[in-house]
Amino acid sequence: MDNLKITLQYLMPKHLISRLAGKIASARLGWFTHFLINRFIKAYGINMSEAQFERAQDYATFNEFFTRPLKDGIRPLATDSNMIAHPVDGCISQLGPIVEGKLVQAKNHDYSLRSLLGGDIATAAPFQNGDFATIYLAPKDYHRIHMPVTGTLRQMIYVPGELFSVNPLTAENVPDLFARNERVVTIFDTELGPMALVLVGATIVASIETVWAGTVTPPAGKNIFRWTYPAHGKNAITLEKGAEMGRFKLGSTVVLAFAADKLSFLDDQKPGSVTRMGAPFAKLK
């Protein structure tokens, strides 16, 4: 059955299905939208008591529900200046050192840091021998992405690609999954040096957005696009630790990369650990 599921992913028109799902998710369909939301809440056991708006009727579109804000204070931020905070609610897939330019995807699978970041040697170079973490956001999770540390945006890269599912089964069976799927790469200057925060698309992920650029995809393209941003001045984009930096419309994965010898992941952080945005994740060396 698992082999069949993987084979179907190779065969099905993933972009078409995803864009159609996006149209439905963004449409104001009245009672049908509220029906879909209620079914989704029940199917995935979503804790709506954490949401700022708790009823399906409070959302005009499925996307509004999916990117729902949380109540103030529901995710306390690790304010210690030596602590890196979790950027999302989810589950750690993998974390550890970047070895010879490779990141672990799953058991017996690794992939190229350079490919993940869009193929440019200079972009990948600062992260060689550094550390990475991959966090999977399930459909039930909160889908806004926040800053683990304060950072100034220096580069954003749109990388076209496939839209495979990013669930654990696919990660264990599709080679180079995160460097294969469509994604938005962001590079920040931080007190830890450079930090890459990669938003990976997936099947029926209708949109990836950032707070400074709005919707980055769709529309999708066949070319890599790069945007650069100033380090200083009135046009510089600096986001504080804990601030929202982007969001997924339907679930996916984030990959973090840091320079060498800058942080140590906390002992209780390991593959399979549940994450909560703002909670302690790692500490400065």
Side-chain angles (χ1 to χ4, degrees):
M1 182 59 71
D2 286 349
N3 288 337
L4 177 60
K5 290 178 181 178
I6 297 300
T7 300
L8 287 175
Q9 286 198 58
Y10 278 97
L11 296 175
M12 69 183 188
K14 294 180 286 295
H15 278 276
L16 176 61
I17 292 169
S18 299
R19 300 321 177 205
L20 288 174
K23 292 289 187 182
I24 295 170
S26 63
R28 295 173 178 264
L29 301 174
W31 70 267
F32 185 65
T33 291
H34 300 147
F35 170 78
L36 287 178
I37 292 171
N38 276 318
R39 294 288 294 176
F40 197 89
I41 291 169
K42 291 178 181 178
Y44 289 101
I46 295 171
N47 182 7
M48 291 301 291
S49 68
E50 294 185 333
Q52 196 172 81
F53 307 104
E54 298 185 21
R55 304 179 309 145
Q57 291 77 8
D58 293 326
Y59 302 96
T61 69
F62 189 87
N63 277 340
E64 284 186 12
F65 155 73
F66 201 79
T67 59
R68 60 195 176 276
L70 300 179
K71 291 174 180 172
D72 291 342
I74 206 79
R75 294 286 185 271
L77 179 65
T79 54
D80 188 322
S81 61
N82 289 322
M83 199 67 66
I84 294 97
H86 270 297
V88 293
D89 283 12
C91 180
I92 296 173
S93 298
Q94 297 290 335
L95 82 173
I98 300 168
V99 180
E100 297 182 351
K102 299 286 187 179
L103 289 72
V104 176
Q105 176 176 303
K107 185 178 180 180
N108 300 322
H109 287 289
D110 56 24
Y111 63 102
S112 163
L113 170 71
R114 178 179 170 186
S115 295
L116 174 72
L117 300 183
D120 180 60
I121 295 175
T123 303
F127 305 102
Q128 296 297 328
N129 303 313
D131 294 280
F132 82 97
T134 305
I135 306 174
Y136 168 64
L137 289 75
K140 65 181 176 61
D141 289 320
Y142 169 66
H143 277 81
R144 299 189 183 197
I145 303 118
H146 294 251
M147 294 292 290
V149 292
T150 297
T152 299
L153 179 69
R154 299 308 314 283
Q155 193 172 182
M156 180 172 74
I157 308 163
Y158 164 75
V159 187
E162 295 277 3
L163 285 175
F164 284 96
S165 168
V166 291
N167 62 29
L169 174 65
T170 312
E172 292 168 3
N173 289 278
V174 175
D176 301 320
L177 175 64
F178 303 125
R180 190 173 193 155
N181 271 13
E182 179 179 70
R183 57 204 178 275
V184 175
V185 177
T186 62
I187 308 291
F188 289 88
D189 286 340
T190 79
E191 62 182 315
L192 294 164
M195 175 186 74
L197 181 48
V198 184
L199 285 57
V200 183
T203 309
I204 72 170
V205 174
S207 178
I208 298 174
E209 300 180 5
T210 65
V211 297
W212 59 86
T215 299
V216 181
T217 179
K222 295 184 178 180
N223 299 313
I224 294 175
F225 292 96
R226 300 175 186 271
W227 296 263
T228 57
Y229 302 87
H232 308 285
K234 65 179 182 179
N235 293 322
I237 299 170
T238 298
L239 299 177
E240 298 295 321
K241 179 181 179 180
E244 182 184 346
M245 63 78 62
R247 61 184 68 175
F248 290 116
K249 292 181 178 174
L250 298 179
S252 196
T253 287
V254 299
V255 183
L256 291 155
F258 299 93
D261 300 319
K262 296 297 184 180
L263 60 79
S264 298
F265 294 113
L266 300 183
D267 290 342
D268 61 350
Q269 303 298 297
K270 57 192 68 176
S273 296
V274 172
T275 73
R276 287 293 175 263
M277 187 279 291
F281 185 29
K283 58 185 178 182
L284 277 65
K285 284 190 173 179

